Amino acid sequence: MHELDLARNIVELAVEAAERLGAAKVNVVHLKVGRLAGVDPGALHFAFDVATADTLLAGARLEVIDVPLVVWCAHCLTEVELPQVNHFYCPACGTAAGEIRQGRELEVASLEIET
Amino acid sequence: MTTRIVEVRAGVLRKNDELARALRTRFEEAGVFVVNLVSSPGTGKTELLQRTLTELRESGQRAAALVGDLETDNDAQRLATSGVPVRQINTHGRCHLEAEMISQHLDSWDLASLDYLFIENVGNLVCPASYDLGEALRVALLSVTEGEDKPLKYPTIFNSADSAVITKVDLAEACEFDRERAIAAIRSVRPGMPVLEVSAKRGTGMAAWLADLEARRLAWRQGRPGGAST
């Protein structure tokens, strides 16, 4: 359970960006969460409400954008989405998955702000 | 008041990632091979590390260890019996080690005088996966008492590891441990992952584990910036 740590990081990043942009208020934080990021979105929502209290983000909503797990398949010569996070084999041809191209993201993508 | 959406694109773990990168450079410059051991609580990280440190010291290798726990310095005391420098990191409730904790505990250690630095992470199969500590090698441990499908339940950490060690193999029979199933589970999450099998208590597999570490250390020394000098 490190979601509270992560929520504090998210708030710090978002406050920094919001101040830089001269925001009076932040309505929404859009967060990319990869399927392999090891984060529980439920726990993160709860932690976000705790971490935003008494900050510029107070009352803001956290919107999670799920990022699928995408790997390179050296046999199909293309990127493929893996339906499961614990079976790293190409669903089309069964070859062992290559490099992870997407799915580890944990990123504040954008903010909806009022200026 | 106008409402607008602005792009930020900032990694949530950016600070840790930056610190870890700085640590990795520092370790490379010092020529010390850093190994991060991750597993559930009770898998036998400390037992394996204690024997590893002792055997490395006896063979003339220079090693040190950092050990993370929420509280107590019990593990540091245990590891210190190996005769190598050991420091405890207490996270006081945090479920993982972070790069900053590592750099805070390196003070006054001459890294250039070490061949190996081991980091025993907090026993946890979830959170340590996300935190880069600047290590050259991440090893995930799984004991025969835990159940063969654990890698399937905690894929993130096993996928993030470079190799896996099955521990407590002396208890395999009593636990009716299905070795093939465990290895298949590990390789489902990370195809081709090297798997070693040890009993630190009995010494089974220790030679292979130490040989694998040394081969990886030498390959790392060849590959790191600055090259093959000893």
Side-chain angles (χ1 to χ4, degrees), chain B residues 104-134:
Chain B
Q104 283 167 351
H105 285 79
L106 294 174
D107 284 353
S108 82
W109 266 0
D110 178 15
L111 294 175
S113 73
L114 295 173
D115 298 310
Y116 287 97
L117 173 64
F118 290 89
I119 301 170
E120 182 185 330
N121 219 309
V122 177
N124 181 335
L125 273 182
V126 184
C127 313
S130 306
Y131 291 86
D132 183 3
L133 303 180

CSV table of all heavy atoms in Angstrom, one decimal, chain B residues 104-134:
chain,number,residue,atom,x,y,z
B,104,GLN,N,20.8,8.3,1.6
B,104,GLN,CA,21.0,8.8,2.9
B,104,GLN,C,21.8,7.8,3.8
B,104,GLN,O,22.4,8.2,4.8
B,104,GLN,CB,19.7,9.0,3.6
B,104,GLN,CG,19.0,10.3,3.2
B,104,GLN,CD,17.6,10.4,3.6
B,104,GLN,OE1,17.0,9.4,4.1
B,104,GLN,NE2,16.9,11.5,3.4
B,105,HIS,N,21.8,6.5,3.4
B,105,HIS,CA,22.5,5.5,4.2
B,105,HIS,C,23.9,5.1,3.7
B,105,HIS,O,24.5,4.1,4.1
B,105,HIS,CB,21.6,4.3,4.4
B,105,HIS,CG,20.5,4.6,5.4
B,105,HIS,ND1,19.4,5.3,5.1
B,105,HIS,CD2,20.4,4.3,6.8
B,105,HIS,CE1,18.6,5.4,6.2
B,105,HIS,NE2,19.2,4.8,7.2
B,106,LEU,N,24.4,5.9,2.7
B,106,LEU,CA,25.7,5.5,2.1
B,106,LEU,C,26.8,6.4,2.7
B,106,LEU,O,28.0,6.1,2.4
B,106,LEU,CB,25.7,5.7,0.6
B,106,LEU,CG,24.7,4.8,-0.2
B,106,LEU,CD1,24.7,5.2,-1.6
B,106,LEU,CD2,25.2,3.3,0.0
B,107,ASP,N,26.5,7.3,3.5
B,107,ASP,CA,27.5,8.3,4.1
B,107,ASP,C,28.7,7.5,4.7
B,107,ASP,O,28.5,6.6,5.4
B,107,ASP,CB,26.8,9.1,5.2
B,107,ASP,CG,26.0,10.2,4.6
B,107,ASP,OD1,26.0,10.4,3.4
B,107,ASP,OD2,25.3,10.9,5.4
B,108,SER,N,29.8,8.0,4.3
B,108,SER,CA,31.1,7.5,4.9
B,108,SER,C,31.5,6.1,4.4
B,108,SER,O,32.5,5.6,4.8
B,108,SER,CB,31.2,7.7,6.4
B,108,SER,OG,30.5,6.5,7.0
B,109,TRP,N,30.7,5.5,3.6
B,109,TRP,CA,31.1,4.2,3.0
B,109,TRP,C,31.9,4.5,1.8
B,109,TRP,O,31.5,5.3,0.9
B,109,TRP,CB,29.9,3.4,2.6
B,109,TRP,CG,29.5,2.4,3.7
B,109,TRP,CD1,30.0,2.3,4.9
B,109,TRP,CD2,28.4,1.5,3.7
B,109,TRP,NE1,29.4,1.3,5.7
B,109,TRP,CE2,28.4,0.8,4.9
B,109,TRP,CE3,27.4,1.1,2.7
B,109,TRP,CZ2,27.4,-0.2,5.2
B,109,TRP,CZ3,26.5,0.2,3.1
B,109,TRP,CH2,26.5,-0.5,4.3
B,110,ASP,N,33.1,3.9,1.7
B,110,ASP,CA,33.9,4.0,0.5
B,110,ASP,C,33.4,3.0,-0.6
B,110,ASP,O,33.8,1.8,-0.5
B,110,ASP,CB,35.4,3.8,0.8
B,110,ASP,CG,36.2,3.9,-0.4
B,110,ASP,OD1,35.8,4.4,-1.4
B,110,ASP,OD2,37.4,3.5,-0.3
B,111,LEU,N,32.5,3.4,-1.4
B,111,LEU,CA,31.9,2.5,-2.4
B,111,LEU,C,32.9,1.9,-3.3
B,111,LEU,O,32.8,0.7,-3.7
B,111,LEU,CB,30.8,3.2,-3.2
B,111,LEU,CG,29.6,3.7,-2.4
B,111,LEU,CD1,28.6,4.5,-3.3
B,111,LEU,CD2,28.8,2.5,-1.8
B,112,ALA,N,34.0,2.7,-3.6
B,112,ALA,CA,35.0,2.2,-4.6
B,112,ALA,C,35.8,1.0,-4.0
B,112,ALA,O,36.4,0.2,-4.7
B,112,ALA,CB,35.9,3.3,-4.9
B,113,SER,N,35.7,0.8,-2.6
B,113,SER,CA,36.4,-0.3,-2.0
B,113,SER,C,35.5,-1.6,-2.0
B,113,SER,O,35.9,-2.6,-1.4
B,113,SER,CB,36.8,0.0,-0.6
B,113,SER,OG,35.7,0.0,0.2
B,114,LEU,N,34.3,-1.5,-2.6
B,114,LEU,CA,33.4,-2.7,-2.5
B,114,LEU,C,33.2,-3.3,-3.9
B,114,LEU,O,33.3,-2.6,-4.9
B,114,LEU,CB,32.0,-2.2,-2.1
B,114,LEU,CG,31.8,-1.7,-0.7
B,114,LEU,CD1,30.4,-1.2,-0.5
B,114,LEU,CD2,32.1,-2.8,0.4
B,115,ASP,N,33.1,-4.6,-3.9
B,115,ASP,CA,32.7,-5.4,-5.1
B,115,ASP,C,31.2,-5.4,-5.2
B,115,ASP,O,30.6,-5.3,-6.3
B,115,ASP,CB,33.3,-6.8,-5.1
B,115,ASP,CG,34.8,-6.8,-5.1
B,115,ASP,OD1,35.4,-6.0,-5.9
B,115,ASP,OD2,35.4,-7.4,-4.2
B,116,TYR,N,30.5,-5.7,-4.1
B,116,TYR,CA,29.1,-5.9,-4.1
B,116,TYR,C,28.4,-5.0,-3.0
B,116,TYR,O,29.0,-4.9,-1.9
B,116,TYR,CB,28.7,-7.3,-3.7
B,116,TYR,CG,29.0,-8.4,-4.7
B,116,TYR,CD1,30.2,-9.2,-4.7
B,116,TYR,CD2,28.0,-8.7,-5.7
B,116,TYR,CE1,30.4,-10.2,-5.6
B,116,TYR,CE2,28.3,-9.7,-6.6
B,116,TYR,CZ,29.4,-10.4,-6.6
B,116,TYR,OH,29.6,-11.4,-7.5
B,117,LEU,N,27.3,-4.5,-3.3
B,117,LEU,CA,26.4,-3.9,-2.3
B,117,LEU,C,25.0,-4.5,-2.5
B,117,LEU,O,24.4,-4.4,-3.5
B,117,LEU,CB,26.3,-2.4,-2.5
B,117,LEU,CG,25.3,-1.7,-1.6
B,117,LEU,CD1,25.7,-1.8,-0.1
B,117,LEU,CD2,25.2,-0.2,-1.9
B,118,PHE,N,24.6,-5.2,-1.4
B,118,PHE,CA,23.2,-5.8,-1.5
B,118,PHE,C,22.2,-4.9,-0.8
B,118,PHE,O,22.6,-4.3,0.3
B,118,PHE,CB,23.3,-7.2,-0.8
B,118,PHE,CG,24.0,-8.2,-1.6
B,118,PHE,CD1,25.4,-8.4,-1.3
B,118,PHE,CD2,23.4,-9.0,-2.5
B,118,PHE,CE1,26.1,-9.3,-2.1
B,118,PHE,CE2,24.1,-9.9,-3.2
B,118,PHE,CZ,25.5,-10.1,-3.0
B,119,ILE,N,21.1,-4.8,-1.3
B,119,ILE,CA,20.0,-4.1,-0.7
B,119,ILE,C,18.9,-5.1,-0.4
B,119,ILE,O,18.3,-5.7,-1.4
B,119,ILE,CB,19.5,-2.9,-1.6
B,119,ILE,CG1,20.6,-1.9,-1.9
B,119,ILE,CG2,18.3,-2.2,-0.9
B,119,ILE,CD1,20.2,-0.9,-3.0
B,120,GLU,N,18.6,-5.3,0.8
B,120,GLU,CA,17.4,-6.2,1.1
B,120,GLU,C,16.2,-5.3,1.3
B,120,GLU,O,16.1,-4.6,2.3
B,120,GLU,CB,17.7,-7.0,2.4
B,120,GLU,CG,16.6,-8.0,2.8
B,120,GLU,CD,16.8,-8.7,4.1
B,120,GLU,OE1,17.9,-9.0,4.5
B,120,GLU,OE2,15.7,-9.0,4.7
B,121,ASN,N,15.3,-5.4,0.4
B,121,ASN,CA,14.1,-4.5,0.4
B,121,ASN,C,13.2,-4.9,1.5
B,121,ASN,O,13.3,-6.0,2.1
B,121,ASN,CB,13.4,-4.5,-0.9
B,121,ASN,CG,12.9,-3.2,-1.3
B,121,ASN,OD1,12.2,-2.5,-0.6
B,121,ASN,ND2,13.2,-2.8,-2.5
B,122,VAL,N,12.2,-4.1,1.8
B,122,VAL,CA,11.1,-4.4,2.8
B,122,VAL,C,10.4,-5.6,2.2
B,122,VAL,O,10.1,-5.6,1.0
B,122,VAL,CB,10.2,-3.2,3.0
B,122,VAL,CG1,9.0,-3.5,3.9
B,122,VAL,CG2,11.0,-2.0,3.5
B,123,GLY,N,10.0,-6.5,3.0
B,123,GLY,CA,9.2,-7.7,2.6
B,123,GLY,C,7.9,-7.3,2.1
B,123,GLY,O,7.0,-6.9,2.9
B,124,ASN,N,7.7,-7.3,0.8
B,124,ASN,CA,6.4,-6.8,0.2
B,124,ASN,C,6.5,-7.1,-1.3
B,124,ASN,O,7.5,-6.8,-2.0
B,124,ASN,CB,6.4,-5.3,0.4
B,124,ASN,CG,5.1,-4.6,-0.2
B,124,ASN,OD1,4.5,-5.1,-1.1
B,124,ASN,ND2,4.8,-3.5,0.4
B,125,LEU,N,5.5,-7.7,-1.9
B,125,LEU,CA,5.5,-8.1,-3.3
B,125,LEU,C,4.8,-7.1,-4.2
B,125,LEU,O,4.7,-7.3,-5.4
B,125,LEU,CB,4.9,-9.5,-3.5
B,125,LEU,CG,5.8,-10.7,-3.3
B,125,LEU,CD1,5.0,-12.0,-3.6
B,125,LEU,CD2,7.0,-10.6,-4.2
B,126,VAL,N,4.4,-6.0,-3.6
B,126,VAL,CA,3.7,-5.0,-4.5
B,126,VAL,C,4.5,-3.7,-4.7
B,126,VAL,O,5.1,-3.5,-5.7
B,126,VAL,CB,2.3,-4.6,-3.8
B,126,VAL,CG1,1.6,-3.7,-4.8
B,126,VAL,CG2,1.5,-5.9,-3.6
B,127,CYS,N,4.7,-3.0,-3.6
B,127,CYS,CA,5.3,-1.6,-3.7
B,127,CYS,C,6.7,-1.5,-4.2
B,127,CYS,O,7.0,-0.7,-5.0
B,127,CYS,CB,5.1,-0.9,-2.4
B,127,CYS,SG,3.4,-1.1,-1.7
B,128,PRO,N,7.6,-2.4,-3.7
B,128,PRO,CA,9.0,-2.2,-4.1
B,128,PRO,C,9.2,-2.3,-5.7
B,128,PRO,O,10.2,-1.8,-6.2
B,128,PRO,CB,9.7,-3.4,-3.4
B,128,PRO,CG,8.9,-3.6,-2.2
B,128,PRO,CD,7.5,-3.5,-2.7
B,129,ALA,N,8.2,-2.9,-6.4
B,129,ALA,CA,8.3,-3.0,-7.8
B,129,ALA,C,8.5,-1.6,-8.5
B,129,ALA,O,9.1,-1.5,-9.5
B,129,ALA,CB,7.1,-3.7,-8.4
B,130,SER,N,7.8,-0.6,-7.9
B,130,SER,CA,7.7,0.7,-8.6
B,130,SER,C,8.9,1.6,-8.3
B,130,SER,O,9.1,2.6,-8.9
B,130,SER,CB,6.5,1.4,-8.1
B,130,SER,OG,5.4,0.6,-8.3
B,131,TYR,N,9.8,1.2,-7.3
B,131,TYR,CA,10.8,2.1,-6.9
B,131,TYR,C,12.2,1.6,-7.3
B,131,TYR,O,12.8,0.6,-6.8
B,131,TYR,CB,10.8,2.3,-5.4
B,131,TYR,CG,9.6,3.1,-5.0
B,131,TYR,CD1,8.3,2.4,-4.8
B,131,TYR,CD2,9.6,4.5,-4.9
B,131,TYR,CE1,7.2,3.2,-4.4
B,131,TYR,CE2,8.5,5.2,-4.6
B,131,TYR,CZ,7.3,4.5,-4.3
B,131,TYR,OH,6.1,5.3,-4.0
B,132,ASP,N,12.8,2.3,-8.3
B,132,ASP,CA,14.1,2.0,-8.8
B,132,ASP,C,15.1,2.5,-7.7
B,132,ASP,O,14.9,3.6,-7.2
B,132,ASP,CB,14.4,2.8,-10.1
B,132,ASP,CG,15.7,2.5,-10.7
B,132,ASP,OD1,16.5,1.7,-10.2
B,132,ASP,OD2,16.0,3.2,-11.7
B,133,LEU,N,16.1,1.7,-7.3
B,133,LEU,CA,17.0,2.1,-6.3
B,133,LEU,C,18.4,2.3,-6.9
B,133,LEU,O,19.4,2.4,-6.2
B,133,LEU,CB,17.1,1.0,-5.2
B,133,LEU,CG,15.8,0.7,-4.5
B,133,LEU,CD1,16.0,-0.4,-3.4
B,133,LEU,CD2,15.1,1.9,-3.8
B,134,GLY,N,18.5,2.3,-8.2
B,134,GLY,CA,19.8,2.4,-8.9
B,134,GLY,C,20.5,1.1,-9.0
B,134,GLY,O,21.7,1.1,-9.3
